[in-house]
DNA sequence: GGTCAGGTTCTCGACGGTGATCATGGCGTC
DNA sequence: GACGCCATGATCACCGTCGAGAACCTGACC
């Protein structure tokens, strides 16, 4: 049995959601809250498995409430529900720790499905939201940059890559020599070749490249 | 009527998918291809609305094929199908332009649903994949590290921040002097103060900090 | 099987250029 | 005038380039 908490400022919406959700025998609404400020308290009191959270609410909005709830020990999963699929909402909700983000025009059957998926530890987004997320992800050239950077690293020898990593950490040549057991002169030679191979003019540039390539982290 | 192309090297899988998809009256499989190399040609010939693409295939794999298909004029939507939800596959598929990413254990009804969602211009991922994507998104935005880095930048003066940005680009002190119209000696003084304020011992470390803070990009 | 030439990688010391610190002074604000 | 910010030159430490030797692999040739 999956225990649910519904957080929405409109009683009618809460009633509708409760109706839909309890049509499934595995779901039980154990509590309701009418704004974000009450949400955390209700979570502590009733310990639901999943929280359905509206965004637009008086006092504390759904995003802040989600953050608050996720900060609790052994927090429940949170599914954010909203009428608007604004980018900003989506990203902030996901970063606040939400496991789902559904639009209010989601069909009842999918809502039930989403709650179950989330309770099982996976995630569920409305299709339109998924599209936005993917769009942003693909547009986020970071991973692209990473692959490009990695490509350039292919020409390096093992030793050179080790030295490069150390440079990326911000170590001095002397420090690198100590940690890799070689003289400072040798370190310099490696760094010098790395500079040539990566077409850089100083160590700062290769350090950044090392980071872009994900060599550190 | 939504027109489909199925790309998979195993005839049995193709037959199974076709069976599932054509159980819906709005879906029609207009062509099949048995590897990625054939996929693009089939797209040109049959102009499907949606392509279901396996990843592991002989000759050209599904990721490369997806890129190829998306490079065509007025390309169809692509749904990638795979047994393994490896991170790397997911990200590369989405960046290759896929609109969906489903695991092969997806129930038939959801597969049909996903194809329709994608045909309508939205996106659909398997729940487990969605969870990964969100995880990476939340982690990748690095807002944590970024906020931390930004905090430390608060102590800097405007001029120091300008110099720091230039250092982050990998410029030499001489170059920074030229671009910011000050003598090299002045640049050095600024850099030196930045090092103290950011508790770093050399310019590489502050360059990385500058990147983490999102000063560059 | 030996070996010999060619290439690659790792190692190192010495030299000149670059980077980092320190002390000092000008300029505006409070 | 005390303070914070910006600017500068002298000094010393660090970094990057150069040339060169040692160890190793690879393939060709006898």
């Amino acid at each position: 049995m999956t225990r649910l908490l519904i957080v929405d400022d409109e009683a009618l919406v809460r009633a509708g959601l409760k109706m839909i959700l309890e049509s499934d025998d595995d779901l039980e609404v154990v509590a309701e809250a009418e704004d974000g400020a009450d949400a955390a308290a209700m979570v502590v009191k009733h310990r639901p498995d999943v929280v359905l959270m509206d965004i637009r609410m008086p006092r504390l909005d759904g995003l802040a409430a989600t953050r608050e709830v996720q900060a609790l020990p052994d927090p429940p999963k949170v599914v954010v529900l909203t009428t608007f699929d604004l980018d900003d909402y989506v990203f902030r909700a996901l970063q606040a720790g939400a496991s789902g983000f559904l639009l209010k025009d989601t069909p009842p059957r999918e809502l039930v499905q989403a709650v179950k998926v989330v309770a099982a530890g996976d995630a569920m987004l409305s299709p339109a939201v998924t599209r936005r997320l993917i769009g942003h992800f693909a547009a986020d050239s970071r991973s692209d940059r990473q692959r490009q950077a990695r490509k350039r690293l292919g020409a390096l020898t093992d030793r050179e890559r080790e030295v490069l990593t150390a440079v990326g950490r911000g170590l001095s040549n002397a420090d690198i020599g100590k940690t890799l057991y070689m003289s400072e002169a040798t370190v310099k030679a490696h760094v010098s070749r790395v500079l040539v191979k990566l077409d850089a003019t100083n160590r700062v540039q290769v350090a950044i490249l090392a980071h872009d390539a994900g060599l550190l982290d």
Side-chain angles (χ1 to χ4, degrees), chain A residues 39-99:
Chain A
M42 295 303 255
V43 166
V44 171
K45 187 171 173 192
H46 296 282
R47 307 217 50 75
D49 302 305
V50 177
V51 179
L52 275 100
M53 181 88 74
D54 188 26
I55 286 195
R56 304 194 64 163
M57 287 184 298
R59 296 171 66 194
L60 196 66
D61 74 23
L63 299 175
T66 299
R67 262 191 298 278
E68 217 171 67
V69 166
Q70 289 302 315
L72 296 172
D74 192 19
K77 305 289 179 180
V78 174
V79 174
V80 173
L81 268 174
T82 179
T83 312
F84 313 101
D85 64 337
L86 297 174
D87 275 21
D88 203 40
Y89 278 177
V90 176
F91 302 139
R92 281 162 59 196
L94 296 181
Q95 275 169 359
S99 300

Side-chain angles (χ1 to χ4, degrees), chain A residues 142-214:
Chain A
R142 248 187 283 268
S143 315
D144 206 42
R145 199 196 299 180
Q146 181 165 345
R147 207 162 312 107
Q148 289 234 339
R150 281 216 171 119
K151 210 176 280 179
R152 301 173 60 184
L153 262 52
L156 300 182
T157 67
D158 290 347
R159 207 61 168 155
E160 286 164 356
R161 210 185 329 273
E162 287 182 88
V163 171
L164 170 59
T165 305
V167 170
R169 269 200 255 284
L171 300 183
S172 69
N173 287 336
D175 289 339
I176 296 173
K178 279 175 206 149
T179 59
L180 295 184
Y181 303 106
M182 64 180 90
S183 89
E184 189 180 339
T186 306
V187 177
K188 291 178 179 178
H190 283 304
V191 171
S192 204
R193 268 194 308 279
V194 169
L195 290 180
V196 172
K197 287 187 180 179
L198 298 185
D199 193 30
T201 61
N202 62 54
R203 62 170 44 218
V204 175
Q205 295 172 4
V206 300
I208 292 162
L209 236 154
H211 277 259
D212 282 350

Side-chain angles (χ1 to χ4, degrees), chain A residues 17 20-21 52 81 102 106-115:
Chain A
L17 288 174
I20 292 171
L21 293 164
L52 275 100
L81 268 174
L102 300 180
T106 302
R109 212 185 57 204
E110 284 182 31
L111 176 60
V112 171
Q113 173 72 8
V115 169

